Amino acid sequence: MIIKMKSAATRADVEYVVARVHSLGLKSHVSEDGGQVLIGILGSFDDATPSAFTGLRGVERVLPTKRAYRLASREYRPEPTEIRLGDVVIGGDQVVIMSGPCSVESRDLLIEAAILAQKAGATVLRGGAFKPRTSPYSFQGMAEDGLKILAEARDITGMPVITEVMSSETVPLVSEYADILQIGTRNMQNFHLLFAAGRQPKPVLLKRGMMSTIEELLLSAEYIMSQGNTNVILCERGIRTFETATRNTLDLNAIPVLKELSHLPVVVDPSHATGRRSLVPAMARAAIASGADGLLIEMHQNPEQALSDGDQSVTPDQLSNLVEECRRVSVAIGRTL
Ligand code: PEP
Ligand code: MN
């Protein structure tokens, strides 16, 4: 449920309504949209609850939301959310390219990759330091050493960095180094991790669980937002279907559906969605044509020797071509890149 205050409502009016919300054992989340204060109501309430607010001074309307998620919904915030990281804006007119290797493998490789990705047109650097691998015998990532290398690459290139956080215990550590925390597909419903990510200030890129519905993705975003961190980026990275020709199936439908249901930026990862380097450019173009605000793309200087996800990693040259193609698609739909 959302309470929309009148433009003329005073601070005291807002405070009174908030106190009323709390007196009913519910939580509130106050925000502003175009000069109007919105009070989101969180907690369990019934059909009778809206009447407790309709007559209060300064209240324009009480909007019942039928959706299970509230803060993430379009009803709650009609304007798109823009997330700013220095000069980079995610969710604005400009399409954002986030790229780099699947994993941070060594200092020299990562620094070189960062410079090459930037040259190719990326404005955010990716690289996993904590890797969720299907097999416990696979490379697990460089952990804190990897985070330090990412921070150094940021110092050198000026690019903000995105890296995965796998557990609630490591949220403070990853948050200290990263500009964006990535929550991976396997952890989309790790609710302790979502809460922890919601209690720290860095934006969170939340990947859709490979077997999760769009509503479940939005409810997971809601977990983060309910803790105060509303800078959440949704990421479609392919879901599991009966199809075996590709690693996953990129659900392009999810992009316009998420845009209809939510104000949060949507980023697409065509690397994990396809699992094959040759398919990444086509799906990258399709994602932008479908309304994605950005792309998360794995790139490696020598994909055959990558310690993880080499098959789906493009080379720096391929990234460069892909960005050029995506630029043309962006312009065709009235955006920039
Ligand atoms: C990754 O980005 O390298 C990754 C592990 O992604 P996902 O969680 O989508 O599998
Ligand atoms: Mn990967």
Side-chain angles (χ1 to χ4, degrees), residues 296-319:
L296 184 64
I297 297 176
E298 289 185 340
M299 183 213 76
H300 197 283
Q301 293 95 307
N302 200 343
E304 286 72 32
Q305 275 165 33
L307 296 183
S308 58
D309 286 347
D311 291 348
Q312 67 195 33
S313 299
V314 296
T315 63
D317 281 347
Q318 287 167 336
L319 180 68

Side-chain angles (χ1 to χ4, degrees), residues 88-149:
V88 181
V89 180
I90 303 166
D93 283 342
Q94 189 157 9
V95 172
V96 174
I97 307 290
M98 308 179 182
S99 190
C102 176
S103 308
V104 179
E105 300 178 5
S106 74
R107 180 193 171 275
D108 291 354
L109 265 179
L110 197 270
I111 305 287
E112 186 187 48
I115 294 166
L116 291 166
Q118 189 170 43
K119 242 189 213 153
T123 52
V124 177
L125 174 67
R126 68 148 286 149
F130 291 96
K131 295 304 303 175
R133 304 307 301 281
T134 303
S135 162
Y137 306 117
S138 303
F139 175 60
Q140 301 287 311
M142 292 180 72
E144 188 168 0
D145 287 342
L147 297 176
K148 288 183 178 155
I149 294 170

Side-chain angles (χ1 to χ4, degrees), residues 101-103 126-128 130-133 164 182-187 205 207-208 210 235-238 247-248 269 271-273 296 298 308-309 312:
C102 176
S103 308
R126 68 148 286 149
F130 291 96
K131 295 304 303 175
R133 304 307 301 281
E164 179 160 356
Q182 175 176 323
I183 294 185
T185 192
R186 295 159 187 82
N187 268 318
L205 179 138
K207 287 189 150 195
R208 179 179 179 183
M210 62 182 94
C235 179
E236 164 60 38
R237 48 77 72 203
R247 184 176 181 183
N248 291 288
D269 172 349
S271 309
H272 292 85
L296 184 64
E298 289 185 340
S308 58
D309 286 347
Q312 67 195 33

Side-chain angles (χ1 to χ4, degrees), residues 13-329:
D13 294 339
V14 173
E15 277 164 16
Y16 186 79
V17 174
V18 167
R20 189 72 187 268
V21 171
H22 296 172
S23 75
L24 295 173
L26 301 165
K27 282 188 176 170
S28 62
H29 183 274
V30 180
S31 64
E32 240 192 80
D33 188 53
Q36 269 187 302
V37 172
L38 300 174
I39 305 169
I41 310 214
L42 309 168
S44 61
F45 45 80
D46 54 36
D47 291 349
T49 312
S51 59
F53 303 102
T54 37
L56 299 185
R57 206 175 63 195
V59 171
E60 183 177 295
R61 266 201 304 161
V62 182
L63 310 161
T65 46
K66 292 195 185 59
R67 308 202 191 282
Y69 48 89
R70 296 164 202 158
L71 303 176
S73 74
R74 269 278 176 201
E75 287 98 333
Y76 184 65
R77 198 185 137 88
E79 294 306 312
T81 286
E82 293 186 357
I83 297 176
R84 281 168 196 280
L85 295 154
D87 294 340
V88 181
V89 180
I90 303 166
D93 283 342
Q94 189 157 9
V95 172
V96 174
I97 307 290
M98 308 179 182
S99 190
C102 176
S103 308
V104 179
E105 300 178 5
S106 74
R107 180 193 171 275
D108 291 354
L109 265 179
L110 197 270
I111 305 287
E112 186 187 48
I115 294 166
L116 291 166
Q118 189 170 43
K119 242 189 213 153
T123 52
V124 177
L125 174 67
R126 68 148 286 149
F130 291 96
K131 295 304 303 175
R133 304 307 301 281
T134 303
S135 162
Y137 306 117
S138 303
F139 175 60
Q140 301 287 311
M142 292 180 72
E144 188 168 0
D145 287 342
L147 297 176
K148 288 183 178 155
I149 294 170
L150 285 165
E152 192 185 342
R154 172 182 51 219
D155 290 344
I156 294 171
T157 61
M159 277 196 285
V161 300
I162 174 169
T163 196
E164 179 160 356
V165 57
M166 283 173 52
S167 65
S168 48
E169 299 79 44
T170 48
V171 165
L173 175 72
V174 178
S175 173
E176 193 185 315
Y177 290 97
D179 300 292
I180 306 174
L181 270 53
Q182 175 176 323
I183 294 185
T185 192
R186 295 159 187 82
N187 268 318
M188 191 203 83
Q189 288 190 314
N190 178 340
F191 301 118
H192 288 287
L193 174 58
L194 299 175
F195 272 148
R199 293 192 197 110
Q200 59 76 53
K202 302 284 175 74
V204 179
L205 179 138
L206 178 64
K207 287 189 150 195
R208 179 179 179 183
M210 62 182 94
M211 287 172 285
S212 298
T213 64
I214 289 170
E215 179 164 274
E216 286 163 347
L217 170 62
L218 289 166
L219 279 166
S220 288
E222 191 81 11
Y223 263 87
I224 300 169
M225 298 173 87
S226 70
Q227 301 306 296
N229 184 357
T230 52
N231 287 329
V232 177
I233 304 156
L234 305 168
C235 179
E236 164 60 38
R237 48 77 72 203
I239 50 173
R240 275 215 170 153
T241 66
F242 52 81
E243 184 53 72
T244 55
T246 49
R247 184 176 181 183
N248 291 288
T249 296
L250 178 56
D251 181 10
L252 284 173
N253 286 344
I255 306 163
V257 170
L258 287 169
K259 287 280 169 192
E260 260 179 34
L261 297 176
S262 177
H263 53 86
L264 296 172
V266 177
V267 159
V268 167
D269 172 349
S271 309
H272 292 85
T274 59
R276 280 164 48 196
R277 179 179 323 129
S278 63
L279 305 176
V280 170
M283 291 297 96
R285 298 193 300 266
I288 293 177
S290 309
D293 298 301
L295 299 170
L296 184 64
I297 297 176
E298 289 185 340
M299 183 213 76
H300 197 283
Q301 293 95 307
N302 200 343
E304 286 72 32
Q305 275 165 33
L307 296 183
S308 58
D309 286 347
D311 291 348
Q312 67 195 33
S313 299
V314 296
T315 63
D317 281 347
Q318 287 167 336
L319 180 68
S320 208
N321 291 336
L322 176 164
V323 171
E324 236 4 89
E325 291 168 6
C326 287
R327 184 167 288 133
R328 278 183 261 145
V329 176

